[in-house]
Amino acid sequence: MSEQARRPAARPDPNRWGSVPSGPDLEANTLLLKSPYLIPTGQRRASLIVLRGSDVGREFPLTATEVVLGRDMRLEVPIEDEMVSRRHAAIRRVGSAEDFRHVIRDLESTNGILVNNRKLGEVELRDGDRIILGETVLLYRVLDEIDIGYQDEIRKLVRYHELTGFLTLKEFYRMVRREMSSGADAGPFALLMIDVDNLREINSLYGHLAGGAVIRRIGELFRGVLEPKQAIGIYGGDEFICLSPGTRGEEACVVAERLRTTVERDPFTFNDSRIPFTVCIGVAEFPMHGDRIQDLVQRADTALYRAKAQGKNRTVVYESASDSRSR
């Protein structure tokens, strides 16, 4: 056997990555585990995970001492199910935040609660129990660190648009329904429909990577301007929708104009090219312009298209079929 054949394969530098090895040298390129423990121990979190219903996959962490489940969208665990009472059940934590148990009890609901298909008034939950409220099925889980990390990543994917960080449309509508859930006592709010004026031209002139960078930049600009109480969602490829609670009239125009002028003044560059872009905004107000989400969206959308017809880079507030205020 030659000297070269007897020489053991060199251990690769873990800070350098080359081509993928094959054949007998494959094992020589396996990196050594520096710690014998893959998972730090100790972290636990109890959660409810929707198995069946309008929000399949959604997780509700049980971090408070007591949470209430029901159809009221303002609750800690809101359930969109017509067979669920407005305040249907409560889950109480027993013990400390680290060493805990949970007990669920019925709040004199119309249809009661079932745990593992047994109708009960109050019972201590165990990991893996299935809770049935109306037509909704919830899974009670005590999560370890891998489970927690997985659920956190799933929540990001379900709730947020990857490019902008804005809410997905489903999550955004949930926030709007929460604002409207007080019925006659619900406060006013403004709904803003926002559209990028010249994205098609940007894609044609600079390429779709530039168009994607513009959308990402709008996400950064809007997040820097909006207040914590305000929310924004992705409506389409180049359309966004914004909720501004407690806002009406002139104040709604101020919010819209702050967004519009922030975009207008931004000196955005991509691959050393200055790319100007603007937005149009249509504004509708609750309850003045409608008391249903679809009506508000339609009227904000009508105002948006009037803004674009008037020359772009404008804010228009919905007023009537024949007239709207513009900025």
Side-chain angles (χ1 to χ4, degrees):
M1 182 180 296
S2 67
E3 182 66 26
Q4 184 176 3
R6 288 195 299 269
R7 188 181 303 129
R11 176 68 60 183
D13 183 348
N15 296 312
R16 298 181 61 189
W17 292 91
S19 59
V20 177
S22 60
D25 292 332
L26 179 62
E27 189 63 26
N29 287 275
T30 302
L31 300 182
L32 292 174
L33 182 65
K34 294 182 179 179
S35 169
Y37 301 105
L38 290 176
I39 313 166
T41 59
Q43 187 179 3
R44 297 164 69 237
R45 180 172 81 199
S47 292
L48 298 177
I49 300 170
V50 181
L51 296 184
R52 188 180 70 191
S54 63
D55 292 319
V56 171
R58 188 179 184 192
E59 181 205 8
F60 296 97
L62 301 177
T63 55
T65 303
E66 181 167 292
V67 299
V68 178
L69 299 73
R71 206 174 68 247
D72 188 336
M73 294 299 294
R74 296 167 297 179
L75 295 176
E76 297 89 344
V77 184
I79 300 174
E80 297 182 65
D81 184 333
E82 293 181 350
M83 296 186 181
V84 171
S85 299
R86 293 187 66 82
R87 294 175 60 86
H88 196 108
I91 295 179
R92 184 181 75 257
R93 186 181 70 211
V94 179
S96 66
E98 294 77 25
D99 184 17
F100 55 78
R101 296 174 291 119
H102 284 95
V103 175
I104 187 170
R105 73 179 188 280
D106 184 27
L107 297 180
E108 299 182 354
S109 63
T110 299
N111 292 312
I113 59 174
L114 281 77
V115 177
N116 299 328
N117 288 323
R118 295 178 59 199
K119 193 166 187 178
L120 301 166
E122 181 171 329
V123 66
E124 181 178 325
L125 294 171
R126 299 184 182 278
D127 188 21
D129 279 351
R130 298 189 177 193
I131 304 164
I132 303 175
L133 308 179
E135 294 185 327
T136 301
V137 180
L138 306 171
L139 176 67
Y140 173 78
R141 282 297 319 277
V142 179
L143 308 176
D144 63 19
E145 282 165 298
I146 286 185
D147 294 327
I148 291 171
Y150 170 78
Q151 289 296 334
D152 289 345
E153 287 300 314
I154 291 295
R155 185 185 304 110
K156 291 176 185 176
L157 292 173
V158 170
R159 295 193 65 186
Y160 299 106
H161 180 248
E162 184 176 6
L163 194 61
T164 61
F166 294 164
L167 294 170
T168 61
L169 191 59
K170 183 175 182 179
E171 286 295 318
F172 179 85
Y173 280 163
R174 179 181 290 113
M175 294 193 69
V176 177
R177 284 193 293 272
R178 179 171 294 187
E179 286 295 317
M180 301 172 74
S181 64
S182 299
D185 296 329
F189 63 81
L191 201 67
L192 285 60
M193 290 290 294
I194 307 164
D195 182 75
V196 183
D197 288 326
N198 52 336
L199 189 64
R200 183 175 297 178
E201 290 82 355
I202 291 172
N203 287 333
S204 298
L205 289 172
Y206 303 99
H208 284 81
L209 288 178
V214 166
I215 296 298
R216 184 183 296 109
R217 179 59 178 162
I218 288 175
E220 294 169 353
L221 293 173
F222 285 0
R223 289 198 305 273
V225 170
L226 292 172
E227 300 175 5
K229 69 175 183 177
Q230 296 164 334
I232 190 162
I234 189 83
Y235 192 78
D238 59 351
E239 287 187 308
F240 316 101
I241 186 167
C242 178
L243 169 69
S244 185
T247 306
R248 63 177 12 155
E250 190 66 25
E251 190 178 355
C253 290
V254 170
V255 173
E257 280 295 283
R258 188 184 303 128
L259 295 173
R260 186 190 67 78
T261 56
T262 297
V263 170
E264 180 185 34
R265 297 167 183 168
D266 183 53
F268 178 72
T269 59
F270 181 79
N271 286 346
D272 298 324
S273 296
R274 170 79 168 87
I275 304 179
F277 57 93
T278 57
V279 297
C280 277
I281 303 178
V283 181
E285 301 173 33
F286 172 86
M288 180 187 299
H289 298 142
D291 56 5
R292 299 187 306 168
I293 293 178
Q294 55 265 43
D295 294 335
L296 290 170
V297 170
Q298 182 181 31
R299 283 156 191 172
D301 205 40
T302 297
L304 171 64
Y305 278 95
R306 290 176 188 164
K308 297 181 81 68
Q310 291 176 16
K312 303 181 180 181
N313 194 24
R314 293 174 181 268
T315 294
V316 171
V317 180
Y318 179 86
E319 282 192 340
S320 68
S322 60
D323 190 23
S324 293
R325 289 174 283 154
S326 64
R327 296 295 177 105

